[in-house]
Coordinates of all heavy atoms in Angstrom, one line a residue:
M284 N 62.4 113.2 60.2 CA 63.6 113.2 61.0 C 63.5 112.0 62.0 O 62.5 111.7 62.6 CB 63.6 114.5 61.8 CG 64.7 114.6 62.8 SD 64.6 116.1 63.9 CE 65.5 117.2 62.9
P285 N 64.7 111.3 62.1 CA 64.7 110.1 63.0 C 64.6 110.5 64.4 O 65.0 111.6 64.8 CB 66.0 109.4 62.7 CG 66.9 110.5 62.1 CD 65.9 111.5 61.4
P286 N 64.0 109.7 65.3 CA 63.9 110.0 66.7 C 65.3 110.2 67.3 O 66.2 109.5 66.9 CB 63.2 108.8 67.3 CG 63.3 107.7 66.3 CD 63.5 108.3 65.0
R287 N 65.3 111.1 68.2 CA 66.6 111.4 68.9 C 67.0 110.3 69.8 O 66.1 109.8 70.6 CB 66.5 112.7 69.7 CG 67.8 113.2 70.2 CD 67.6 114.6 70.7 NE 68.8 115.0 71.4 CZ 68.8 115.9 72.3 NH1 67.8 116.6 72.6 NH2 70.0 116.2 72.9
R288 N 68.2 109.8 69.7 CA 68.6 108.7 70.6 C 68.9 109.2 72.0 O 69.6 110.2 72.2 CB 69.9 108.0 70.1 CG 69.5 107.3 68.8 CD 70.7 106.7 68.1 NE 71.4 105.7 69.0 CZ 72.5 105.1 68.7 NH1 73.1 105.4 67.6 NH2 73.0 104.2 69.5
R289 N 68.4 108.5 73.0 CA 68.7 108.9 74.4 C 70.0 108.2 74.9 O 70.3 107.1 74.5 CB 67.5 108.5 75.3 CG 66.3 109.2 75.0 CD 65.3 109.0 76.1 NE 64.2 110.0 76.0 CZ 63.3 110.1 76.9 NH1 63.3 109.4 77.9 NH2 62.4 111.1 76.7
R290 N 70.7 108.9 75.7 CA 71.9 108.3 76.3 C 71.4 107.3 77.4 O 70.5 107.6 78.1 CB 72.7 109.4 77.0 CG 73.5 110.3 76.1 CD 74.2 111.3 76.9 NE 75.6 111.4 76.5 CZ 76.4 112.1 77.2 NH1 76.1 112.8 78.2 NH2 77.7 112.2 76.8
R291 N 72.2 106.2 77.4 CA 72.0 105.3 78.5 C 72.5 105.9 79.8 O 73.6 106.5 79.7 CB 72.7 104.0 78.2 CG 71.8 102.9 77.6 CD 72.4 101.6 77.6 NE 72.9 101.4 76.3 CZ 73.8 100.5 75.9 NH1 74.3 99.7 76.8 NH2 74.1 100.3 74.7
P292 N 71.9 105.7 80.9 CA 72.4 106.2 82.2 C 73.7 105.5 82.5 O 73.9 104.3 82.2 CB 71.4 105.8 83.2 CG 70.5 104.8 82.6 CD 70.6 105.0 81.1
L293 N 74.7 106.2 83.0 CA 76.0 105.6 83.4 C 75.8 104.7 84.6 O 75.0 105.0 85.5 CB 77.0 106.7 83.7 CG 77.3 107.6 82.5 CD1 78.2 108.8 83.0 CD2 78.1 106.8 81.5
P294 N 76.6 103.7 84.7 CA 76.5 102.8 85.9 C 77.0 103.6 87.1 O 77.8 104.5 86.9 CB 77.5 101.6 85.5 CG 78.4 102.2 84.5 CD 77.6 103.2 83.7
P295 N 76.6 103.2 88.3 CA 77.1 103.9 89.5 C 78.6 103.7 89.6 O 79.2 102.7 89.2 CB 76.3 103.2 90.6 CG 75.9 101.9 90.1 CD 75.8 102.0 88.6
L296 N 79.2 104.7 90.3 CA 80.6 104.6 90.6 C 80.9 103.4 91.5 O 80.1 103.0 92.4 CB 81.1 105.8 91.3 CG 81.1 107.1 90.5 CD1 81.5 108.3 91.3 CD2 82.0 107.0 89.3
P297 N 82.0 102.7 91.3 CA 82.3 101.5 92.1 C 82.7 101.9 93.6 O 83.2 103.0 93.8 CB 83.6 100.9 91.4 CG 84.2 102.0 90.7 CD 83.1 102.9 90.3
V298 N 82.3 101.0 94.5 CA 82.6 101.3 95.9 C 84.0 100.6 96.1 O 84.1 99.4 95.9 CB 81.6 100.7 96.8 CG1 82.0 100.8 98.3 CG2 80.2 101.3 96.5
L299 N 85.0 101.4 96.4 CA 86.3 100.9 96.6 C 86.5 100.6 98.1 O 86.3 101.5 98.9 CB 87.4 101.9 96.1 CG 87.2 102.2 94.6 CD1 88.1 103.3 94.2 CD2 87.4 101.0 93.8
A300 N 87.0 99.4 98.4 CA 87.2 99.0 99.8 C 88.6 99.1 100.3 O 89.4 98.3 99.8 CB 86.6 97.6 100.1
P301 N 89.0 100.1 101.1 CA 90.4 100.2 101.6 C 90.8 98.9 102.3 O 90.0 98.3 103.0 CB 90.3 101.4 102.5 CG 89.2 102.2 102.1 CD 88.2 101.2 101.5
G302 N 92.0 98.5 102.0 CA 92.5 97.2 102.7 C 92.5 96.1 101.7 O 93.1 95.0 101.9
Q303 N 91.8 96.2 100.6 CA 91.6 95.1 99.6 C 92.0 95.5 98.2 O 91.8 94.8 97.2 CB 90.2 94.6 99.6 CG 89.7 94.2 100.9 CD 88.2 93.9 100.9 OE1 87.5 94.3 100.0 NE2 87.7 93.2 101.9
L304 N 92.6 96.7 98.1 CA 92.9 97.2 96.7 C 94.3 96.9 96.2 O 94.5 96.6 95.1 CB 92.7 98.7 96.7 CG 91.3 99.1 97.1 CD1 91.2 100.6 97.1 CD2 90.2 98.6 96.1
L305 N 95.3 97.1 97.1 CA 96.7 97.0 96.7 C 97.3 95.7 97.2 O 96.9 95.2 98.3 CB 97.5 98.1 97.2 CG 97.1 99.5 96.7 CD1 97.9 100.6 97.4 CD2 97.3 99.6 95.2
D306 N 98.2 95.1 96.5 CA 98.9 93.9 96.9 C 100.3 94.3 97.2 O 101.1 94.5 96.3 CB 98.9 92.8 95.9 CG 99.6 91.5 96.3 OD1 100.1 91.5 97.5 OD2 99.8 90.6 95.5
W307 N 100.7 94.5 98.5 CA 102.0 94.9 98.8 C 102.7 93.7 99.5 O 103.5 93.9 100.4 CB 102.0 96.1 99.8 CG 101.7 97.4 99.0 CD1 101.3 97.5 97.7 CD2 101.8 98.7 99.6 NE1 101.1 98.9 97.5 CE2 101.4 99.6 98.6 CE3 102.1 99.2 100.8 CZ2 101.4 101.0 98.7 CZ3 102.1 100.6 101.0 CH2 101.8 101.5 100.0
T308 N 102.5 92.5 99.1 CA 103.2 91.4 99.7 C 104.6 91.2 99.3 O 105.4 90.5 99.9 CB 102.4 90.1 99.4 OG1 102.2 89.9 98.0 CG2 101.0 90.1 100.1
D309 N 104.9 91.9 98.1 CA 106.3 91.8 97.6 C 107.2 92.5 98.6 O 106.9 93.6 99.1 CB 106.4 92.5 96.2 CG 107.7 92.3 95.6 OD1 108.7 93.0 95.9 OD2 107.8 91.4 94.7
R310 N 108.4 92.0 98.8 CA 109.4 92.6 99.8 C 109.8 93.9 99.3 O 110.4 94.7 100.2 CB 110.5 91.6 100.0 CG 111.4 91.4 98.8 CD 112.5 90.4 99.1 NE 113.1 90.6 100.4 CZ 113.6 89.6 101.2 NH1 113.5 88.4 100.8 NH2 114.1 89.9 102.3
A311 N 109.6 94.3 98.1 CA 110.0 95.7 97.7 C 109.2 96.7 98.4 O 109.6 97.9 98.4 CB 109.8 95.8 96.1
H312 N 108.1 96.3 99.0 CA 107.2 97.3 99.7 C 107.6 97.4 101.2 O 106.9 98.0 102.0 CB 105.7 96.9 99.6 CG 105.2 97.1 98.2 ND1 105.0 98.4 97.7 CD2 104.9 96.3 97.2 CE1 104.5 98.3 96.5 NE2 104.5 97.0 96.1
W313 N 108.7 96.8 101.6 CA 109.1 96.8 103.0 C 110.5 97.4 103.1 O 111.4 97.1 102.3 CB 109.1 95.3 103.5 CG 109.6 95.3 105.0 CD1 110.9 95.0 105.4 CD2 108.9 95.6 106.1 NE1 110.9 95.0 106.7 CE2 109.7 95.4 107.2 CE3 107.5 96.0 106.3 CZ2 109.3 95.6 108.5 CZ3 107.1 96.2 107.7 CH2 108.0 96.0 108.7
S314 N 110.7 98.1 104.1 CA 112.1 98.7 104.4 C 112.4 98.4 105.9 O 111.5 98.5 106.7 CB 112.1 100.2 104.1 OG 113.3 100.7 104.6
D315 N 113.6 98.1 106.2 CA 114.0 98.0 107.6 C 114.0 99.3 108.3 O 114.0 99.3 109.6 CB 115.4 97.3 107.7 CG 115.4 95.9 107.2 OD1 114.4 95.2 107.3 OD2 116.5 95.4 106.7
R316 N 114.0 100.4 107.6 CA 114.1 101.7 108.2 C 112.7 102.3 108.2 O 112.1 102.5 107.2 CB 115.0 102.6 107.4 CG 115.3 104.0 108.1 CD 116.3 104.8 107.3 NE 115.8 105.1 106.0 CZ 115.0 106.2 105.7 NH1 114.6 106.9 106.7 NH2 114.6 106.4 104.5
A317 N 112.2 102.7 109.4 CA 110.9 103.3 109.5 C 111.1 104.8 109.1 O 112.1 105.4 109.4 CB 110.4 103.3 110.9
A318 N 110.1 105.3 108.4 CA 110.1 106.7 107.9 C 108.6 107.2 108.0 O 107.7 106.4 107.9 CB 110.7 106.8 106.5
P319 N 108.5 108.5 108.0 CA 107.1 109.1 108.0 C 106.3 108.8 106.8 O 106.9 109.0 105.6 CB 107.4 110.6 108.2 CG 108.8 110.8 108.7 CD 109.5 109.6 108.1
C320 N 105.1 108.4 106.9 CA 104.2 108.1 105.8 C 104.0 109.4 105.0 O 103.8 110.5 105.6 CB 102.9 107.6 106.4 SG 101.6 107.4 105.2
R321 N 104.0 109.3 103.7 CA 103.8 110.5 102.9 C 102.4 111.1 103.0 O 102.2 112.3 102.6 CB 104.1 110.2 101.4 CG 103.1 109.2 100.8 CD 103.6 108.8 99.5 NE 103.3 109.8 98.5 CZ 103.3 109.7 97.2 NH1 103.6 108.5 96.7 NH2 103.0 110.7 96.4
Y322 N 101.5 110.4 103.6 CA 100.1 110.9 103.7 C 99.8 111.3 105.1 O 99.2 112.4 105.3 CB 99.1 109.8 103.3 CG 99.3 109.3 101.9 CD1 99.9 108.1 101.6 CD2 98.9 110.1 100.8 CE1 100.1 107.6 100.3 CE2 99.1 109.6 99.5 CZ 99.7 108.4 99.3 OH 99.9 108.0 98.0
C323 N 100.1 110.5 106.1 CA 99.7 110.8 107.5 C 100.9 111.2 108.4 O 100.6 111.6 109.6 CB 98.9 109.7 108.1 SG 99.9 108.2 108.5
E324 N 102.1 111.0 108.0 CA 103.3 111.3 108.7 C 103.6 110.5 109.9 O 104.5 110.7 110.6 CB 103.3 112.8 109.1 CG 103.3 113.7 107.8 CD 103.4 115.2 108.2 OE1 103.5 115.5 109.3 OE2 103.3 116.0 107.2
R325 N 102.8 109.4 110.1 CA 103.1 108.4 111.2 C 104.2 107.5 110.6 O 104.2 107.3 109.4 CB 101.9 107.6 111.6 CG 100.9 108.5 112.4 CD 99.7 107.7 112.9 NE 99.0 107.3 111.7 CZ 98.4 106.1 111.5 NH1 98.5 105.1 112.4 NH2 97.7 105.8 110.4
L326 N 105.0 107.0 111.5 CA 106.1 106.1 111.0 C 105.6 104.8 110.4 O 104.6 104.2 110.9 CB 107.1 105.8 112.1 CG 107.9 107.0 112.6 CD1 108.8 106.5 113.8 CD2 108.8 107.6 111.5
T327 N 106.3 104.4 109.3 CA 105.9 103.1 108.7 C 107.2 102.5 108.1 O 108.1 103.2 107.7 CB 104.9 103.3 107.5 OG1 104.6 102.1 106.9 CG2 105.4 104.3 106.5
H328 N 107.2 101.2 108.0 CA 108.2 100.5 107.2 C 107.8 100.2 105.8 O 108.6 99.7 105.0 CB 108.5 99.1 108.0 CG 109.2 99.3 109.3 ND1 110.6 99.3 109.4 CD2 108.7 99.4 110.5 CE1 110.9 99.5 110.7 NE2 109.8 99.5 111.4
L329 N 106.6 100.5 105.5 CA 106.1 100.1 104.1 C 106.5 101.2 103.1 O 106.7 102.4 103.5 CB 104.6 100.0 104.2 CG 104.0 98.8 105.0 CD1 102.5 98.9 105.1 CD2 104.5 97.5 104.3
R330 N 106.6 100.8 101.9 CA 106.9 101.7 100.8 C 105.9 101.5 99.6 O 105.5 100.4 99.3 CB 108.3 101.4 100.2 CG 109.4 101.6 101.3 CD 109.6 103.0 101.7 NE 110.7 103.2 102.7 CZ 110.5 103.3 104.0 NH1 109.3 103.2 104.6 NH2 111.6 103.5 104.8
D331 N 105.6 102.6 99.0 CA 104.6 102.5 97.9 C 105.3 102.2 96.6 O 106.5 101.8 96.6 CB 103.8 103.9 97.8 CG 104.7 105.0 97.3 OD1 105.8 104.9 96.9 OD2 104.2 106.2 97.4
E332 N 104.6 102.2 95.5 CA 105.2 101.8 94.2 C 106.4 102.7 93.8 O 107.2 102.3 93.0 CB 104.1 101.9 93.1 CG 102.9 101.0 93.3 CD 103.2 99.6 93.3 OE1 104.2 99.2 92.6 OE2 102.5 98.8 93.9
Q333 N 106.4 103.9 94.3 CA 107.6 104.8 93.9 C 108.7 104.7 95.0 O 109.6 105.5 94.9 CB 107.1 106.3 93.8 CG 106.2 106.6 92.6 CD 104.8 106.2 92.9 OE1 104.2 106.3 94.0 NE2 104.1 105.6 91.9
G334 N 108.5 103.8 96.0 CA 109.5 103.7 97.0 C 109.4 104.7 98.1 O 110.3 104.8 99.0
Q335 N 108.3 105.5 98.1 CA 108.1 106.5 99.2 C 107.4 105.8 100.4 O 106.6 104.9 100.2 CB 107.1 107.6 98.6 CG 107.7 108.3 97.4 CD 109.0 109.1 97.8 OE1 109.0 109.8 98.8 NE2 110.0 109.0 97.0
P336 N 107.8 106.2 101.6 CA 107.1 105.7 102.8 C 105.6 105.9 102.7 O 105.2 107.1 102.5 CB 107.8 106.4 103.9 CG 109.0 107.0 103.3 CD 108.8 107.3 101.9
A337 N 104.8 104.9 103.0 CA 103.4 105.1 102.9 C 102.7 103.8 103.6 O 103.2 102.7 103.4 CB 102.8 105.2 101.5
H338 N 101.7 104.1 104.4 CA 100.9 103.0 104.9 C 100.0 102.5 103.7 O 99.6 103.3 102.9 CB 100.0 103.4 106.0 CG 100.7 103.8 107.3 ND1 100.8 105.1 107.7 CD2 101.3 103.1 108.2 CE1 101.5 105.2 108.8 NE2 101.8 103.9 109.1
K339 N 99.8 101.2 103.7 CA 99.0 100.6 102.6 C 97.6 101.2 102.7 O 97.0 101.6 101.6 CB 98.9 99.1 102.8 CG 98.2 98.4 101.7 CD 98.3 96.9 101.9 CE 97.5 96.1 100.9 NZ 96.1 96.0 101.4
A340 N 97.0 101.3 103.8 CA 95.6 101.9 104.0 C 95.6 103.4 103.5 O 94.7 103.8 102.8 CB 95.2 101.8 105.4
C341 N 96.7 104.1 103.8 CA 96.7 105.5 103.4 C 96.8 105.6 101.8 O 96.2 106.4 101.2 CB 97.9 106.2 104.0 SG 97.8 106.5 105.8
A342 N 97.6 104.7 101.2 CA 97.8 104.7 99.8 C 96.5 104.3 99.1 O 96.1 104.9 98.1 CB 98.9 103.8 99.4
E343 N 95.8 103.3 99.7 CA 94.6 102.9 99.1 C 93.5 104.0 99.2 O 92.7 104.2 98.3 CB 94.1 101.6 99.8 CG 94.9 100.4 99.4 CD 94.5 99.2 100.2 OE1 94.0 99.3 101.3 OE2 94.7 98.1 99.6
E344 N 93.5 104.7 100.3 CA 92.5 105.7 100.5 C 92.8 106.8 99.4 O 91.8 107.4 98.8 CB 92.6 106.3 101.9 CG 91.5 107.3 102.2 CD 91.6 107.7 103.7 OE1 91.7 106.8 104.6 OE2 91.6 108.9 103.9
D345 N 94.0 107.2 99.2 CA 94.4 108.2 98.3 C 94.0 107.7 96.8 O 93.5 108.5 96.1 CB 95.9 108.5 98.3 CG 96.3 109.6 97.4 OD1 95.8 110.8 97.6 OD2 97.0 109.3 96.5
G346 N 94.3 106.5 96.5 CA 94.0 105.9 95.2 C 92.5 105.9 95.0 O 92.1 106.3 93.9
A347 N 91.7 105.6 96.0 CA 90.3 105.6 95.8 C 89.8 107.0 95.6 O 88.9 107.2 94.7 CB 89.6 105.0 97.1
R348 N 90.3 107.9 96.3 CA 89.9 109.3 96.2 C 90.2 109.8 94.8 O 89.4 110.4 94.1 CB 90.6 110.2 97.2 CG 90.2 111.7 97.2 CD 90.9 112.5 98.3 NE 92.4 112.3 98.2 CZ 93.2 112.9 97.3 NH1 92.7 113.7 96.4 NH2 94.5 112.7 97.3
R349 N 91.4 109.5 94.3 CA 91.8 109.9 93.0 C 90.9 109.3 91.9 O 90.6 109.9 90.9 CB 93.3 109.6 92.7 CG 94.2 110.5 93.5 CD 95.6 110.0 93.3 NE 96.6 110.7 94.1 CZ 97.4 111.6 93.6 NH1 97.5 111.8 92.4 NH2 98.3 112.2 94.4
G350 N 90.6 108.0 92.1 CA 89.7 107.3 91.1 C 88.4 108.0 91.0 O 87.8 108.1 89.9
V351 N 87.8 108.3 92.2 CA 86.5 108.9 92.2 C 86.6 110.3 91.5 O 85.7 110.7 90.7 CB 85.9 109.0 93.6 CG1 84.7 109.9 93.7 CG2 85.6 107.6 94.1
Q352 N 87.6 111.1 91.8 CA 87.8 112.4 91.2 C 87.9 112.3 89.7 O 87.4 113.0 88.9 CB 89.0 113.1 91.8 CG 88.8 113.6 93.2 CD 90.1 114.2 93.8 OE1 91.2 113.9 93.3 NE2 89.9 114.9 94.9
A353 N 88.7 111.3 89.2 CA 88.9 111.1 87.8 C 87.6 110.7 87.1 O 87.3 111.2 86.0 CB 90.0 110.0 87.6
A354 N 86.9 109.8 87.7 CA 85.6 109.4 87.2 C 84.6 110.5 87.1 O 83.9 110.7 86.1 CB 85.0 108.2 88.0
R355 N 84.6 111.4 88.1 CA 83.7 112.5 88.1 C 84.1 113.5 87.0 O 83.3 114.1 86.3 CB 83.7 113.2 89.5 CG 82.9 112.5 90.5 CD 82.9 113.2 91.8 NE 82.1 112.4 92.8 CZ 82.4 112.5 94.1 NH1 83.3 113.3 94.6 NH2 81.6 111.7 94.9
A356 N 85.4 113.7 86.9 CA 85.9 114.6 85.9 C 85.6 114.1 84.5 O 85.2 114.9 83.6 CB 87.5 114.8 86.0
Y357 N 85.8 112.8 84.3 CA 85.5 112.2 83.0 C 84.0 112.4 82.6 O 83.7 112.7 81.5 CB 85.9 110.7 83.0 CG 85.6 110.0 81.7 CD1 86.4 110.1 80.6 CD2 84.5 109.2 81.6 CE1 86.2 109.5 79.5 CE2 84.2 108.6 80.4 CZ 85.1 108.7 79.4 OH 84.8 108.1 78.2
R358 N 83.2 112.1 83.6 CA 81.7 112.2 83.3 C 81.3 113.6 83.0 O 80.4 113.9 82.3 CB 80.9 111.7 84.5 CG 81.0 110.2 84.7 CD 80.3 109.7 85.9 NE 80.5 108.3 86.0 CZ 79.6 107.5 86.4 NH1 78.4 108.0 86.9 NH2 79.8 106.2 86.5
S359 N 82.0 114.6 83.7 CA 81.6 116.0 83.4 C 82.3 116.6 82.3 O 82.1 117.7 81.9 CB 81.9 116.8 84.7 OG 83.3 116.9 84.9
G360 N 83.3 115.8 81.7 CA 84.0 116.3 80.5 C 85.1 117.2 80.9 O 85.6 118.0 80.0
R361 N 85.5 117.3 82.1 CA 86.6 118.2 82.6 C 87.9 117.4 82.8 O 88.6 117.7 83.7 CB 86.2 118.8 83.9 CG 85.1 119.8 83.7 CD 84.7 120.5 85.0 NE 84.0 119.6 85.9 CZ 84.4 119.3 87.1 NH1 85.4 119.7 87.7 NH2 83.6 118.4 87.8
T362 N 88.2 116.5 81.9 CA 89.5 115.8 82.0 C 90.6 116.7 81.6 O 90.5 117.6 80.7 CB 89.5 114.5 81.1 OG1 89.2 114.9 79.8 CG2 88.5 113.5 81.7
Q363 N 91.8 116.4 82.1 CA 93.0 117.2 81.8 C 93.8 116.4 80.8 O 93.8 115.2 80.8 CB 93.9 117.5 83.0 CG 93.1 118.3 84.0 CD 94.0 118.4 85.3 OE1 95.0 117.8 85.4 NE2 93.5 119.2 86.2
A364 N 94.5 117.1 79.9 CA 95.4 116.5 78.9 C 96.7 116.0 79.5 O 97.1 116.4 80.5 CB 95.7 117.5 77.8
Ligands
ZN1828 ZN1 99.8 106.8 106.7

């Protein structure tokens, strides 16, 4: 019987730095009308990719959190269809 192959250890999860993840320099991310951020409810003129009011830092923090959750789910085999 051939020797059992060992799995290589997975690389560590990336460290995501809020403030450096999204590029919102396009004017589509700006509105003249301030509205409550979808995450923290403080007023903002910024808009996310879906046009919803959001601070860039809040959106980056949410994206980082979702990325870590997805990576953990993938590693544990608990991904959703
Ligand atoms: Zn916010």
Side-chain angles (χ1 to χ4, degrees):
M284 177 187 267
R287 189 170 171 200
R288 292 175 62 184
R289 290 190 167 193
R290 282 177 133 186
R291 260 192 259 165
L293 295 171
L296 293 174
V298 176
L299 303 173
Q303 303 171 344
L304 303 175
L305 300 174
D306 178 7
W307 284 10
T308 55
D309 188 282
R310 64 184 316 144
H312 290 286
W313 177 262
S314 172
D315 291 334
R316 188 178 63 83
C320 172
R321 64 187 286 193
Y322 302 104
C323 72
E324 299 184 2
R325 289 181 294 138
L326 292 179
T327 181
H328 289 272
L329 294 172
R330 300 295 184 260
D331 65 12
E332 299 296 334
Q333 291 81 39
Q335 299 295 314
H338 293 108
K339 184 174 173 278
C341 293
E343 288 177 332
E344 188 176 312
D345 183 66
R348 182 182 51 78
R349 288 172 186 254
V351 168
Q352 287 175 342
R355 286 181 180 153
Y357 179 78
R358 288 175 182 219
S359 69
R361 289 183 284 123
T362 55
Q363 298 176 356

